[in-house]
Amino acid sequence: MTDITLAKGGFADLLLVADTHVTVRSPIPSAPGSTLQGLVGGDAALPFLLKVRSCKKEPEGTFVIDGRA
């Protein structure tokens, strides 16, 4: 299920949300210290901002990005 439309293009899936800790799977990498931006939701989309703590490439070529909302 795609949950986030990324500002850089493409879509990311929410994997974990716990308080302000968020983990997503993305086709696009995002460097630690950067802010991943996008929109969450369909018709009533809300801004999504994630301060990236780590970005790890998976064997299938996607990236697991961990950070703080």
Side-chain angles (χ1 to χ4, degrees):
M1 177 179 171
T2 299
D3 298 303
I4 303 162
T5 303
L6 299 173
K8 293 181 180 178
F11 301 94
D13 296 321
L14 280 172
L15 300 179
L16 173 74
V17 177
D19 294 324
T20 60
H21 178 225
V22 177
T23 303
V24 300
R25 178 176 290 116
S26 169
I28 302 167
S30 193
S34 67
T35 301
L36 184 66
Q37 299 180 18
L39 295 173
V40 177
D43 295 332
L46 299 172
F48 175 82
L49 298 172
L50 180 69
K51 184 69 172 179
V52 177
R53 182 176 66 180
S54 70
C55 179
K56 297 177 183 167
K57 188 172 184 179
E58 296 188 307
E60 63 271 8
T62 59
F63 298 87
V64 173
I65 301 172
D66 185 56
R68 180 176 39 89

